Amino acid sequence: MHFVQINKTTWRCTGEGPRNHSTGKRRQITRRGKSKGEARKRVEKAIAELKKVYTFDAKITFDEFSQEWLKLYQLKGNKETTNEHRAYCISLLNRYLAKQKMTAISTIELQGVLNHLFENGTAFNTLRGTHNAAKMIFAYAKETGLIEINPVEATFVPKKKMTLEEVTTEETSKLYLETDELKEFFRYVDKHRNIIYRTLIYTIAFTGMRPGEAVALKYEDVDLEKKVIHINNICEKKHTRRL
C-alpha cells in the first residue's frame, strides 16, 4: 500500500483492489483517514467488499456456475445459434455434473464424462463443442479465484479410430472445395479487375487442369466449337480436356 500525509490531520492510503471483471484492468482503491492506520483500514475494508462481489461461494455447483457463465457469454454479441449450441453443450455436462461443487470436479471426472458421451454415440463436433464449453467455464472459475487449476486443460476429446479407407477419403476430401465453398471463392475471383486471371482461375476450376498447364495454353489449343481444350504438358504429350 502507498501512503501520503496530506496535512497534519489527514492521511491518504492507496491499495491494489481486484481487477475489473469486465475489462481486466487494474483497480486501485484510495481512502483517507485521520491517521495512517485509519486510512489503511478503510482501504482494506473497501477491497474486502469488492472481492466479495467478484468471487463465488466455494459451495457453488456446476449447474449454478455454468448458468452464471452462460449469461455473461450471451452478452458478448455472439450469433444466436452459437449461444444455443453452448447452452446445449452445458445441458450435456449437467447430466453428470449438475449438483457437483465446482471446487470438487477433477480432471479424471471430466474425462470420464467425455468418454461416456463418446461411448453413447455423441457426434464428434458436439463432443468438441462440449469440451470447449467446459474449458471456458472452468477458465472463468480460475479467473475469478474459485479454483486454482483448470481441470479441463488435461482432458481430450475421444475420437473414433478410422479405417484406412476412411483416412484416405478424409485426406482426399481436403483437396477439393464443397459447392458452397467454391461459390464463395468465385465471388472473390469475380471482384478481381484482371480478366486474364479470372479466366485462368475459372478454366482451372472447371477443367481440372494444373496451373502450369493453364498458363501454357495457346489460342490454337482451344476449340470453342467442339468445346475442347488441347493441353501440352511438360513432356509434350497431347491431352484433351472437355469444356
Side-chain angles (χ1 to χ4, degrees), residues 1-2 18 20 23 28 38 43 50-51 72 74 85 109 132 134 145 162 165 203 215 219 230 243:
M1 291 188 181
H2 179 67
N20 185 295
T23 64
Q28 292 188 320
E38 182 180 348
V43 169
L50 279 174
K51 284 184 176 179
L72 292 175
Q74 291 172 335
H85 181 65
E109 186 171 13
N132 288 336
M162 293 189 291
E165 182 180 354
T203 302
V215 172
Y219 182 79
H230 300 285
L243 292 174

Side-chain angles (χ1 to χ4, degrees), residues 63-151:
D63 181 31
E64 295 168 335
F65 188 87
S66 60
Q67 292 308 311
E68 289 296 321
W69 174 83
L70 185 59
K71 289 176 185 176
L72 292 175
Y73 183 79
Q74 291 172 335
L75 295 175
K76 293 183 177 181
N78 303 302
K79 293 180 180 179
E80 190 57 35
T81 52
T82 301
N83 290 332
E84 290 174 357
H85 181 65
R86 295 299 182 203
Y88 175 68
C89 291
I90 289 173
S91 72
L92 293 180
L93 292 167
N94 270 325
R95 294 179 185 177
Y96 307 86
L97 307 171
K99 301 306 178 183
Q100 287 272 64
K101 292 180 183 178
M102 283 291 295
T103 54
I105 298 173
S106 67
T107 295
I108 294 174
E109 186 171 13
L110 285 166
Q111 187 62 61
V113 170
L114 293 170
N115 292 347
H116 195 267
L117 288 170
F118 169 72
E119 290 164 1
N120 280 272
T122 304
F124 178 74
N125 285 339
T126 302
L127 270 177
R128 185 168 55 185
T130 303
H131 184 256
N132 288 336
K135 187 179 291 185
M136 289 188 285
I137 290 169
F138 281 91
Y140 177 54
K142 183 180 178 181
E143 290 169 4
T144 55
L146 182 61
I147 58 176
E148 294 184 1
I149 299 174
N150 185 340

Side-chain angles (χ1 to χ4, degrees), residues 214-229:
V215 172
L217 286 175
K218 297 179 181 179
Y219 182 79
E220 55 267 24
D221 293 329
V222 181
D223 189 332
L224 294 176
E225 291 186 5
K226 295 181 179 179
K227 296 182 179 181
V228 171
I229 295 177

Side-chain angles (χ1 to χ4, degrees), residues 202-213:
Y202 268 89
T203 302
I204 291 169
F206 287 104
T207 64
M209 71 174 67
R210 299 180 181 88
E213 294 173 336

